Amino acid sequence: MSPEELFFYGLIAIILGLGIPLVVLSALRLWMSRKALKLYAKHIKITMDLPEVKKFIATVRKPYIEVDEDKSNSQVLVIWRDSKRRDIYPSVWVYVDKNTIKPLKVVVYSDDPNKKPSTRTLST
């Protein structure tokens, strides 16, 4: 085999060696996000009707949604934040009861990190 062929086969091996794990990880991430969306779709939909979330969606063009579950309190935390920023400012955190799917508390973080977040407790 010539050196050019060895170089070519080496590049193919490197591309396949890095490409296959990348495709597998992408498929796993897509599967996990679909699973989480099916599990928490109702919780996210309920939070979209809140006035704080509507105002946040109107001001932030591309909101990013994170969902976390607190098993000890039987609550689901839905976090709406700006996808262009890495910190929590601005964001809206909504605590939702896991079983009844009713919002319990809304915490709004403004753009200013020095400003105290506003909290509204909803009646159950």
Side-chain angles (χ1 to χ4, degrees):
M1 252 196 258
S2 67
E4 292 85 17
E5 288 178 341
L6 285 174
F7 179 73
F8 180 70
Y9 289 132
L11 281 178
I12 290 175
I14 290 173
I15 289 170
L16 289 176
L18 295 176
I20 291 173
L22 181 66
V23 169
V24 169
L25 289 175
S26 297
L28 277 173
R29 182 175 181 211
L30 180 66
W31 177 69
M32 293 299 287
S33 64
R34 286 183 53 88
K35 183 178 173 183
L37 183 60
K38 285 174 75 175
L39 188 62
Y40 299 116
K42 292 178 184 173
H43 298 84
I44 294 170
K45 191 173 183 178
I46 285 294
T47 62
M48 292 177 77
D49 295 333
L50 297 172
E52 293 89 352
V53 175
K54 285 182 180 180
K55 182 179 176 186
F56 181 77
I57 293 172
T59 57
V60 175
R61 292 291 174 217
K62 291 187 177 181
Y64 181 74
I65 304 168
E66 295 178 18
V67 179
D68 192 17
E69 183 178 343
D70 185 7
K71 295 187 190 272
S72 64
N73 292 343
S74 181
Q75 291 181 354
V76 174
L77 174 63
V78 180
I79 302 172
W80 293 79
R81 64 182 185 91
D82 191 354
S83 63
K84 296 178 183 174
R85 297 188 183 180
R86 297 185 69 86
D87 55 353
I88 64 168
Y89 303 101
S91 64
V92 178
W93 295 31
V94 183
Y95 295 88
V96 181
D97 187 73
K98 182 181 176 186
N99 302 322
T100 62
I101 309 177
K102 290 187 179 179
L104 302 172
K105 183 169 74 169
V106 180
V107 181
V108 179
Y109 292 92
S110 67
D111 284 332
D112 187 14
N114 298 327
K115 189 176 178 184
K116 193 173 186 180
S118 64
T119 303
R120 180 171 70 116
T121 305
L122 305 166
S123 61
T124 56

